[in-house]
Amino acid sequence: MKDILFFITLFLAVQSFSQTTKKSVFVNYIEKPIILDANLNEEVWQNSKGASGFWQYFPLDSIQAKQQATIKFLFDDDNLYVGIKVNALANDFIIPSLRRDFSAGGSDNITLLFDTFNDGTNAFIFGTNPFGIKREMLLSGGGSELRGFTMAWDTKWKCKTAIKEDHYVAEMIIPLSAFKYREGETKWRFNSYQFDTQDNVRNTWVNIPQNQFIFNLAYMGEMIFEKPLGQSKTPVSIIPYVNTITAKDFENDISKTDLKFGGDAKFTIGNSLNLDVTINPDFSQVEVDQQVTNLTRFEISLPERRQFFIENSDLFADFGNNRDSNPFFSRRIGIAQDANGNIIESNIIGGVRLSGKVNNDLRVGLLTMQTAEDIKNEIPTVNNAVITLQQKVFKRSNISVMFINKQATKEYDFLADEDKYNRIIGLDYRLASEDNTWVGKYFLHKSFSQGVKDKNYSVGFSTQYFDRDFNVRLSGVYVGDNYESDLGFLRRTDIFKITPKIERTFWPIESTIQKHSFSITPIFIWKPDLNFKNSDYAVISRWKANFKNTGEFTAEMYNRFTYLFSAFDPTGTDEAIALPIDSSYKYTTVSLGYRSDKRKTLSYQIEPSIGTFFNGEKYSFEANLAWRIQPKFSGSLQINYDKINLPYPYPDASIWLIGPKIDLTFNKSIFWSTFIQYSSQQKNIGVNTRLQWRFAPLSDLFIVYNDNYFSNSFTPRFKSLNLKLTYWLNI
């Protein structure tokens, strides 16, 4: 009996040690650069042990990967060299596109995550697929949220691959200047994840539980460098552009032909701070926004796509509550309201942005941008400035302070006193436990505008616990009636809102369902200035099932209440009778959704819903179809339909949003995409077609054509043709 107890104790001790000991990989120093040929036949590669022993993440997270990958590292004074071998059942790989920065889902690829400051909060990401298509991203927020990805970030590096009968090989050369790190560092945190479509599995080097995202930075091993890293020899990057445009505004009978030039410059201060400068920036090559149907009373936020605002964007954008009280929303810079209340473009004269690490625990962000005056439209010249500091506390948490200032820099007769400036100071604390079981966000912000002295606070809290079986959240936000954020995103003021959630997840042993969950999310909103009158509530009940073939099924029921403090027409019909002020409505919607296996040549996502809507009824149907002829053609079709029936004398409506998109990647350098959007709500048919030739690394020639028509008469609204040349020069 004693012997049995001894062996049980020894077994448990070994198991405990194996689960807590960090995995590590050694990075050898070399004197001579390797040849980039995807052979890995140099002696230095043969002598490198590498990172192996991948774990399966999907469909199970408790066994070793069937098809293993091995990742080897070398470095010299200038570059990090990566050699990768990924085993596979065969060479029948899925490669949907030849375009850079591809999405990982539904394709074969391997991705590397580097936490260079060992803070468990931010990471540089590099990845490739069997065809050698590159992708690089930044990750913030510890990998706890999908929105932590910044896919618009670009940097120069090299990659070559070779496909064999039962595996593929990738060889990378990544300049150390592409990373930010502390001089003298000998260790980075590292992990890797790999998608295998033939085996239908996803694997990770460090074992990650499935209740966490596959890119969560709480679960990482270590890269140990043979000698301390030196000072990064980062070049100065100059990125000039020239853009010629010809445009016709048919609504206002205005024609325009113009030649613009300007550019960006990127500097590195030390090894860890970025200094970005832009003069007369032009964003005409940025992909057009995807339109949405808005049946709410509130503004819709759209993601930032402009390169200048991308790197370290979390330092500026992650304050407050992104849905109800976000004090800084970079898309506000470059737009303004004219004398008639219309939102129009406001030219940016220039800007400077300093961001990054001061040391391993302290990050800093400074931004200032000046927009031009437009006397004709009564738009002043304005300085937009943000200062942020973020200090790491404990293992993975941080505390941040920020100051935001938007201020007219000249006096104007048309400018009211209350519009001369808007300022915000704030304090945020982000909680992230070592294993990411506990996460949270807590903030206090105060705004300053001329003549405003009270009710100018915004306060929020969120505490969330999630393990393999339970996800429990308690959160809320208060926004004072006089709280203003000219550079932020606010849906409305004078609210106190709570959003608790409880979710239970089940893991079937033998089933086509990989996991399924039940959740209830009640959302209640009160108006503090009206004796805490309940203005809205929604109780969301959801069952969600994930299948082993990567498909997904969702059933939802929304029970809603809305009190209207102002008249509102939910159909958006011109000159219609709106639902009256001081009226209240209870309504319920039921929806079913299914997303098919993305690995298939033809995949789809559908979601029909039906129920009551204010004092009437609504039927909706959403669908997205995707088709590929790999690797050069991919197409998609988005369809949204809303049928609203309200009792007389209120209007009925049939609202359509249709958006076909075609993407042709002729090779790794020439891409052509066309996006057509028809919106009956916005009465617009838009065509955006863009030809891109990447003639040198991160250097492009764009030809962009935009065409817009009134959907009810098909008469032209606006047309433009842009020819833009950018060149990335390192000096």
Side-chain angles (χ1 to χ4, degrees):
M1 186 65 181
K2 289 183 178 179
D3 290 339
I4 293 174
L5 291 174
F6 171 77
F7 282 110
I8 291 174
T9 303
L10 180 62
F11 175 79
L12 292 175
V14 170
Q15 285 293 101
S16 175
F17 179 81
S18 65
Q19 291 172 9
T20 57
T21 301
K22 286 185 177 180
K23 299 180 77 170
S24 61
V25 57
F26 196 72
V27 187
N28 296 96
Y29 181 81
I30 58 175
E31 299 283 351
K32 184 180 178 181
I34 64 167
I35 298 173
L36 188 71
D37 56 9
N39 282 325
L40 306 185
N41 54 1
E42 290 95 338
E43 185 178 354
V44 288
W45 282 130
Q46 301 302 317
N47 294 334
S48 177
K49 184 178 180 181
S52 58
F54 274 64
W55 286 82
Q56 194 177 109
Y57 171 82
F58 174 91
L60 300 174
D61 60 4
S62 56
I63 63 173
Q64 290 276 303
K66 295 178 183 178
Q67 303 294 336
Q68 284 287 335
T70 302
I71 306 173
K72 298 182 178 183
F73 295 103
L74 305 168
F75 80 111
D76 58 22
D77 294 334
D78 299 313
N79 300 301
L80 177 70
Y81 303 94
V82 188
I84 305 171
K85 178 184 177 183
V86 182
N87 291 315
L89 285 173
N91 58 9
D92 185 20
F93 300 113
I94 294 179
I95 312 294
S97 170
L98 299 176
R99 186 182 291 276
R100 190 174 180 142
D101 292 335
F102 58 89
S103 175
S107 68
D108 286 276
N109 60 87
I110 188 163
T111 299
L112 315 177
L113 301 91
F114 301 94
D115 177 4
T116 60
F117 286 96
N118 306 297
D119 60 10
T121 302
N122 299 276
F124 295 87
I125 297 179
F126 294 86
T128 190
N129 61 23
F131 278 17
I133 310 303
K134 296 184 287 187
R135 70 179 195 143
E136 67 274 272
M137 297 169 286
L138 300 175
L139 182 63
S140 63
S144 298
E145 299 175 293
L146 285 170
R147 68 187 189 95
F149 275 111
T150 303
M151 297 190 69
W153 176 68
D154 284 322
T155 191
K156 286 186 177 182
W157 59 291
K158 299 177 181 178
C159 177
K160 190 167 185 179
T161 59
I163 297 177
K164 309 297 183 180
E165 185 175 344
D166 60 354
H167 67 278
Y168 66 91
V169 177
E171 197 168 31
M172 303 176 179
I173 302 178
I174 308 175
L176 288 171
S177 59
F179 302 96
K180 299 294 180 289
Y181 57 88
R182 184 176 64 89
E183 183 180 355
E185 187 62 80
T186 58
K187 180 179 67 176
W188 291 355
R189 297 173 76 245
F190 166 76
N191 199 11
S192 173
Y193 60 83
Q194 178 245 337
F195 283 44
D196 181 345
T197 64
Q198 297 171 78
D199 248 347
N200 190 27
V201 296
R202 300 169 190 175
N203 305 318
T204 60
W205 181 51
V206 173
N207 189 207
I208 300 178
Q210 285 189 2
N211 62 290
Q212 305 286 348
F213 285 120
I214 196 171
F215 47 81
N216 193 285
L217 300 184
Y219 300 86
M220 303 188 82
E222 294 179 343
M223 292 172 58
I224 300 173
F225 292 90
E226 184 176 357
K227 57 178 282 190
L229 293 168
Q231 185 173 359
S232 175
K233 300 175 182 178
T234 306
V236 175
S237 298
I238 307 297
I239 313 169
Y241 82 85
V242 58
N243 178 30
T244 179
I245 179 174
T246 178
K248 172 72 173 181
D249 181 349
F250 292 91
E251 290 186 77
N252 300 301
D253 194 24
I254 298 174
S255 296
K256 174 184 177 182
T257 300
D258 196 9
L259 177 67
K260 293 180 63 176
F261 57 89
D264 298 341
K266 295 178 176 290
F267 307 85
T268 297
I269 300 176
N271 271 29
S272 55
L273 284 171
N274 298 319
L275 178 64
D276 296 282
V277 179
T278 186
I279 298 174
N280 194 28
D282 175 83
F283 306 110
S284 60
Q285 86 284 2
V286 175
E287 188 176 16
V288 67
D289 288 319
Q290 182 171 321
Q291 295 182 20
V292 296
T293 299
N294 185 6
L295 300 179
T296 74
R297 295 158 286 161
F298 313 111
E299 181 185 7
I300 299 293
S301 66
L302 297 168
E304 177 63 83
R305 300 175 183 271
R306 298 173 293 182
Q307 181 67 221
F308 179 80
F309 297 98
I310 295 301
E311 191 165 359
N312 291 314
S313 61
D314 65 295
L315 269 172
F316 305 93
D318 278 1
F319 283 88
N321 178 302
N322 69 299
R323 181 175 178 84
D324 296 296
S325 182
N326 183 353
F328 181 73
F329 181 51
S330 58
R331 287 190 61 131
R332 298 289 190 212
I333 299 177
I335 62 171
Q337 193 173 76
D338 66 14
N340 297 318
N342 301 311
I343 300 299
I344 64 173
E345 181 180 351
S346 174
N347 290 331
I348 299 173
I349 299 172
V352 177
R353 197 172 70 114
L354 176 70
S355 62
K357 287 270 194 175
V358 176
N359 54 48
N360 272 18
D361 296 331
L362 179 63
R363 299 173 75 204
V364 61
L366 305 172
L367 181 147
T368 178
M369 299 199 80
Q370 190 76 24
T371 56
E373 67 180 7
D374 183 347
I375 302 298
K376 177 183 176 181
N377 289 301
E378 297 187 359
I379 296 173
T381 179
V382 170
N383 180 257
N384 309 271
V386 186
I387 302 173
T388 72
L389 295 172
Q390 183 186 93
Q391 175 68 38
K392 176 185 172 184
V393 294
F394 309 116
K395 288 285 187 178
R396 300 177 60 243
S397 304
N398 58 68
I399 188 168
S400 304
V401 295
M402 59 92 174
F403 172 72
I404 300 173
N405 184 54
K406 179 181 179 182
Q407 184 167 354
T409 53
K410 288 174 62 176
E411 293 289 336
Y412 298 91
D413 294 337
F414 57 78
L415 191 63
D417 288 344
E418 60 268 22
D419 295 329
K420 290 182 177 179
Y421 68 85
N422 173 245
R423 297 170 187 143
I424 296 177
I425 59 172
L427 177 70
D428 285 46
Y429 173 67
R430 181 183 288 273
L431 166 68
S433 64
E434 189 171 4
D435 63 356
N436 217 62
T437 300
W438 289 93
V439 296
K441 182 74 175 295
Y442 315 89
F443 66 89
L444 171 62
H445 301 161
K446 179 179 173 64
S447 69
F448 300 86
S449 297
Q450 194 157 311
V452 177
K453 297 182 179 180
D454 60 0
K455 302 176 185 177
N456 54 353
Y457 288 91
S458 177
V459 183
F461 68 93
S462 175
T463 304
Q464 187 169 3
Y465 170 83
F466 54 101
D467 61 15
R468 188 174 182 82
D469 299 323
F470 286 97
N471 181 353
V472 182
R473 180 188 70 206
L474 180 62
S475 60
V477 62
Y478 162 78
V479 182
D481 195 32
N482 293 327
Y483 179 77
E484 297 181 32
S485 181
D486 288 354
L487 286 180
F489 183 81
L490 298 177
R491 291 180 183 272
R492 50 183 163 175
T493 59
D494 187 30
I495 66 166
F496 175 63
K497 175 181 179 181
I498 62 168
T499 54
K501 176 183 179 180
I502 183 166
E503 180 178 30
R504 174 69 164 95
T505 302
F506 301 88
W507 307 84
I509 300 298
E510 295 182 3
S511 172
T512 57
I513 295 178
Q514 184 254 345
K515 68 175 180 179
H516 65 101
S517 62
F518 294 92
S519 66
I520 297 178
T521 308
I523 303 170
F524 286 85
I525 302 175
W526 295 272
K527 302 281 285 184
D529 276 12
L530 295 176
N531 296 319
F532 281 87
K533 183 177 180 63
N534 182 209
S535 65
D536 304 80
Y537 72 69
V539 180
I540 307 169
S541 306
R542 178 183 291 119
W543 178 68
K544 182 177 180 181
N546 295 85
F547 298 96
K548 289 182 179 178
N549 69 352
T550 72
E552 183 179 293
F553 178 82
T554 305
E556 295 177 320
M557 181 171 66
Y558 285 76
N559 294 284
R560 291 185 172 95
F561 166 80
T562 300
Y563 186 93
L564 295 180
F565 292 93
S566 59
F568 173 61
D569 172 21
T571 69
T573 305
D574 290 339
E575 301 180 359
I577 297 177
L579 299 178
I581 188 172
D582 294 329
S583 56
S584 60
Y585 306 89
K586 291 183 179 180
Y587 46 107
T588 300
T589 303
V590 176
S591 68
L592 301 175
Y594 179 72
R595 188 193 70 199
S596 71
D597 185 349
K598 293 176 67 175
R599 297 172 300 158
K600 302 297 184 181
T601 301
L602 178 65
S603 61
Y604 60 91
Q605 182 173 349
I606 57 172
E607 184 179 350
S609 65
I610 190 170
T612 52
F613 187 62
F614 289 90
N615 60 345
E617 297 177 342
K618 180 169 75 74
Y619 168 76
S620 297
F621 179 80
E622 296 182 16
N624 195 294
L625 309 177
W627 178 45
R628 73 169 191 275
I629 304 175
Q630 72 173 44
K632 295 188 176 183
F633 171 85
S634 61
S636 64
L637 176 63
Q638 172 201 4
I639 302 173
N640 288 31
Y641 173 69
D642 295 281
K643 175 63 176 177
I644 301 173
N645 293 315
L646 301 181
Y648 181 83
Y650 307 109
D652 296 337
S654 294
I655 302 173
W656 287 92
L657 177 63
I658 302 175
K661 185 174 184 179
I662 296 173
D663 192 43
L664 288 170
T665 53
F666 299 101
N667 52 45
K668 295 180 182 180
S669 300
I670 300 177
F671 320 112
W672 180 32
S673 62
T674 299
F675 193 15
I676 302 171
Q677 297 186 88
Y678 163 70
S679 172
S680 64
Q681 187 181 54
Q682 299 182 27
K683 300 178 180 62
N684 187 72
I685 298 174
V687 179
N688 174 268
T689 185
R690 183 177 67 162
L691 181 66
Q692 177 185 358
W693 173 33
R694 178 148 285 183
F695 60 87
L698 300 183
S699 303
D700 300 283
L701 174 67
F702 293 96
I703 301 175
V704 184
Y705 176 68
N706 282 291
D707 203 353
N708 288 269
Y709 298 85
F710 288 100
S711 60
N712 52 357
S713 61
F714 208 71
T715 54
R717 302 180 70 170
F718 180 83
K719 295 186 180 190
S720 69
L721 178 65
N722 286 73
L723 177 66
K724 181 173 180 179
L725 179 70
T726 66
Y727 186 74
W728 188 302
L729 175 66
N730 288 341
I731 58 176

